[in-house]
Amino acid sequence: MVKMKIIDCDYLVVGSGIAGLTAALELSERGKVLVLTKKDAGETNTSYAQGGIACVMKEDDSFEKHVADTLRAGDGLCDVEVVESIVSKAPDRIADLERFGVSFTEYHDGPDRYDLGKEGGHSKRRILHSGDITGKHIQSGLLERVRATPGITICERTLVIDLITMAWLDRLSTRNSLLGHVDPESNRVTGVYALDCDTGEILAVRSPYVILATGGGGKVYLYTSNPDVATGDGVAIAWRAGVPIRNMEFIQFHPTCLFHPEAKSFLVSEAVRGEGAKLVLGDGSEFMYQYDERGALASRDIVARAIDHEMKSRGEPCVYLDIRERGETFIRERFPTIYDTCRQFGFDMARDLIPVVPAAHYFCGGIDAAINGSTAMPGLFACGEVACTGLHGANRLASNSLLEAAVCGYELARHLAELPPASDYKKVSVPDWEPGDAVPSDEAIVVEHNWNEVRTCMWDYVGIVRTDKRLERAMRRIHNLSTEIREYYLNYLVTPDILELRNIAAVAELIVRCAQQRKESRGLHYTLDYPAVSSEPSADSLIRDDAGRYRKD
Ligand code: SIN
């Protein structure tokens, strides 16, 4: 047994992006809020969002049009009520962000003052942006506000290991180590075990309400626009506790990440195409109109697939963005960060074609959750990219993600205000962390190797174009790797690397399992074995049977 520090709070928020911080701010009026985040609080997927946040702002636009665009992108799998509700709540959340000091780029004073951007799949200009670093502005505005709010504590460099649930505690107390199915309905969350990444110490945080706002998991793939923190932690944690997971096959690949060996798939925002950039081959010829009448501004699933097809059929390593026509002054003013970054890698947007490739960008699936964050497990809530609410369906409309995170973070807090206060719940007694025979790792190379293998396997077999055979192959490899990872997890003291590896392997398995359930091509899931949309009524894929697997008990 390892003696643990125990921390108590009323509301535990895991993750410090837009969803988590919005929830934390609202909840601070009701009780003691603890925000756990695995790196520095500003290092989130939110911080890297470039394009902006979608919201109906002009007379010539309407909620109906925004809803229609979202449904069209979602390819038959959106929940219409959820879409209508989130779209209509956008203006209030934008007003909150402005109150928190986030400023969106404007043309001039007056009601139509915003410089609204356009992105793929939108029939109108409706993307509010802060230059080309919208996410950074939102992140710093919210964080400043959170840091100044009494009642919220941020605990950085702390990585959640697993949920502590009543069912798990019951199993331990009856010394029943069988890891059978747990009915999530009878199972309340009571807190989490977490690792202090600086000291290696294990903590137990007790809280009757746990909010997972951990973002997505682009790092499951070899190439991704996401930062290193995006390892799908929330989905993996919830799944291990038996919470249903939905629609994981719908991985959005962003069509235009900078193609350069050292650029780490730097995103070249879709807003660049919104301002007129064409997608071209090396000889300058446009190809997108052969695939969709909207050309380079078709929805992302279509554009990414078209690029993949052009690259593979021609044996080319990339395609190109061409925005030279807009001239240097406009480009530098509208996209200063993208311009500078491209320059750093040797490309001048005003003079050169910019080489781009698709890379994993966003999870449309996740923890099965309502707009108010509730999940099948009492006390457990999820919001932002980690959650699957029904807004995105089979493919997310650009810039709807920050919107969903802001709306759901807020709605979740409002919902929690109607539930019994934390003081109504008795504090449970949490067993000390049981390291078993674990010793410090002397085989870090195994983690490194398995990390690369999971990500390569997902890129090669579960990417933009899938087949039954590729999925089977991927599943076999992920299973073998998961067994090895579990052994490693049990035999060595936990480190951030092993915990993240365990999470990406779990998420990889969920993606493959959901993809295997879907015998059709729809939205972001495209398979050569079933190339058409099924004529059966569309349904979500759901996984709900893995309570307790891979846990250290
Ligand atoms: C982008 O700027 O292209 C990304 C925006 C988004 O993913 O919604």
Side-chain angles (χ1 to χ4, degrees):
M1 293 272 180
V2 170
K3 199 92 207 106
M4 289 173 325
K5 186 150 100 190
I6 295 192
I7 301 173
D8 289 322
C9 63
D10 298 329
Y11 301 101
L12 171 62
V13 176
V14 186
S16 57
I18 179 172
L21 295 186
T22 303
L25 280 171
E26 293 302 320
L27 288 167
S28 64
E29 291 163 21
R30 256 184 89 72
K32 207 168 110 191
V33 180
L34 179 66
V35 177
L36 287 192
T37 187
K38 69 179 179 178
K39 296 270 180 201
D40 294 343
E43 185 57 10
T44 64
N45 234 344
T46 298
S47 285
Y48 290 81
Q50 292 179 353
I53 178 161
C55 178
V56 171
M57 299 297 288
K58 282 201 169 164
E59 290 269 298
D60 70 343
D61 197 5
S62 65
F63 290 150
E64 290 74 24
K65 287 182 183 143
H66 189 177
V67 168
D69 292 346
T70 303
L71 296 179
R72 181 172 181 196
D75 206 4
L77 269 196
C78 297
D79 179 323
V80 181
E81 271 177 40
V82 168
V83 176
E84 286 171 350
S85 173
I86 291 180
V87 161
S88 67
K89 290 176 166 67
D92 288 342
R93 300 292 70 81
I94 296 297
D96 281 351
L97 287 171
E98 289 186 314
R99 264 195 311 114
F100 299 152
V102 179
S103 59
F104 296 105
T105 304
E106 299 180 1
Y107 288 124
H108 51 67
D109 290 340
D112 265 357
R113 63 187 190 276
Y114 296 102
D115 174 27
L116 298 176
K118 187 154 173 3
E119 291 180 11
H122 287 274
S123 56
K124 291 286 168 193
R125 282 190 174 265
R126 63 168 78 96
I127 318 295
L128 286 150
H129 63 93
S130 303
D132 59 354
I133 45 171
T134 312
K136 246 197 181 64
H137 284 277
I138 291 178
Q139 183 73 42
S140 56
L142 285 170
L143 206 46
E144 211 172 292
R145 185 72 169 212
V146 162
R147 290 199 197 280
T149 303
I152 307 181
T153 307
I154 302 184
C155 193
E156 296 177 304
R157 291 176 297 286
T158 305
L159 176 55
V160 170
I161 302 172
D162 267 316
L163 298 177
I164 302 171
T165 65
M166 290 311 292
W168 183 72
L169 291 173
D170 286 349
R171 279 209 306 275
L172 283 190
S173 66
T174 55
R175 307 220 170 271
N176 173 7
S177 61
L178 287 175
L179 306 179
H181 176 74
V182 175
D183 175 7
E185 297 296 342
S186 65
N187 186 16
R188 191 177 176 88
V189 71
T190 60
V192 302
Y193 283 115
L195 172 71
D196 178 328
C197 300
D198 291 336
T199 63
E201 196 184 358
I202 304 289
L203 320 170
V205 182
R206 296 187 299 189
S207 176
Y209 296 110
V210 175
I211 293 119
L212 294 177
T214 50
K219 294 299 280 189
V220 173
Y221 284 88
L222 190 57
Y223 301 110
T224 175
S225 63
N226 292 185
D228 290 346
V229 289
T231 51
D233 303 331
V235 169
I237 289 163
W239 177 57
R240 284 193 292 267
V243 180
I245 305 295
R246 177 148 71 113
N247 284 356
M248 290 297 288
E249 69 274 39
F250 298 118
I251 304 297
Q252 186 168 76
F253 289 81
H254 196 291
T256 57
C257 292
L258 187 61
F259 178 65
H260 186 284
E262 277 144 43
K264 272 194 111 184
S265 302
F266 173 76
L267 189 70
V268 181
S269 175
E270 194 153 312
V272 174
R273 274 174 283 139
E275 297 304 340
K278 297 177 210 132
L279 272 168
V280 299
L281 301 171
D283 62 5
S285 57
E286 267 192 83
F287 58 87
M288 267 315 301
Y289 285 100
Q290 294 159 37
Y291 296 89
D292 193 284
E293 71 209 4
R294 294 167 292 178
L297 282 179
S299 52
R300 266 182 211 169
D301 52 339
I302 296 168
V303 180
R305 223 159 26 240
I307 294 175
D308 186 69
H309 183 253
E310 291 295 327
M311 282 166 46
K312 287 195 175 133
S313 60
R314 292 169 191 277
E316 296 292 341
C318 63
V319 295
Y320 300 86
L321 272 174
D322 182 359
I323 192 172
R324 294 174 296 181
E325 199 171 280
R326 295 303 307 260
E328 182 168 339
T329 310
F330 171 81
I331 297 171
R332 294 185 75 158
E333 257 176 34
R334 176 65 180 84
F335 301 113
T337 312
I338 300 173
Y339 179 86
D340 286 347
T341 307
C342 288
R343 272 304 285 265
Q344 229 174 287
F345 290 105
F347 307 108
D348 179 344
M349 291 172 79
R351 288 170 189 84
D352 302 324
L353 297 181
I354 307 301
V356 289
V357 284
H361 182 60
Y362 188 87
F363 280 15
C364 294
I367 301 169
D368 190 20
I371 291 185
N372 66 19
S374 51
T375 70
M377 177 176 282
L380 184 72
F381 296 81
C383 58
E385 188 174 347
V386 74
C388 180
T389 61
L391 173 68
H392 309 309
N395 177 36
R396 175 180 66 96
L397 184 67
S399 289
N400 266 356
S401 45
L402 290 176
L403 169 62
E404 183 190 43
V407 169
C408 295
Y410 178 89
E411 292 301 314
L412 176 155
R414 296 282 101 189
H415 174 60
L416 280 176
E418 287 158 15
L419 299 183
S423 53
D424 280 13
Y425 291 93
K426 209 166 96 231
K427 296 273 176 255
V428 294
S429 152
V430 178
D432 281 335
W433 180 252
E434 175 57 85
D437 299 326
V439 294
S441 161
D442 58 357
E443 294 248 38
I445 190 68
V446 176
V447 176
E448 163 96 12
H449 179 87
N450 286 348
W451 173 261
N452 291 334
E453 208 171 325
V454 173
R455 301 180 68 214
T456 307
C457 165
M458 291 300 285
W459 185 259
D460 288 345
Y461 299 139
V462 199
I464 295 172
V465 177
R466 301 160 181 180
T467 66
D468 281 350
K469 271 229 148 46
R470 288 178 200 168
L471 294 178
E472 271 165 37
R473 238 176 239 146
M475 191 52 111
R476 263 199 309 275
R477 278 165 176 71
I478 302 289
H479 263 150
N480 291 342
L481 287 166
S482 295
T483 309
E484 217 170 271
I485 291 165
R486 175 168 162 74
E487 263 168 39
Y488 199 90
Y489 170 72
L490 293 175
N491 292 338
Y492 295 99
L493 293 180
V494 290
T495 62
D497 287 350
I498 182 70
L499 293 176
E500 289 187 335
L501 171 63
R502 175 178 175 246
N503 289 341
I504 65 162
V507 169
E509 179 177 335
L510 290 166
I511 295 170
V512 178
R513 284 180 61 184
C514 284
Q516 287 180 321
Q517 283 184 21
R518 188 164 294 285
K519 302 294 183 204
E520 62 167 346
S521 290
R522 183 186 292 277
L524 296 158
H525 175 72
Y526 183 79
T527 161
L528 295 175
D529 292 315
Y530 315 95
V533 174
S534 160
S535 53
E536 301 290 308
S538 55
D540 288 343
S541 44
L542 197 65
I543 304 230
R544 52 182 316 149
D545 60 353
D546 284 285
R549 285 216 300 153
Y550 307 122
R551 289 202 55 160
K552 200 170 190 143
D553 49 5

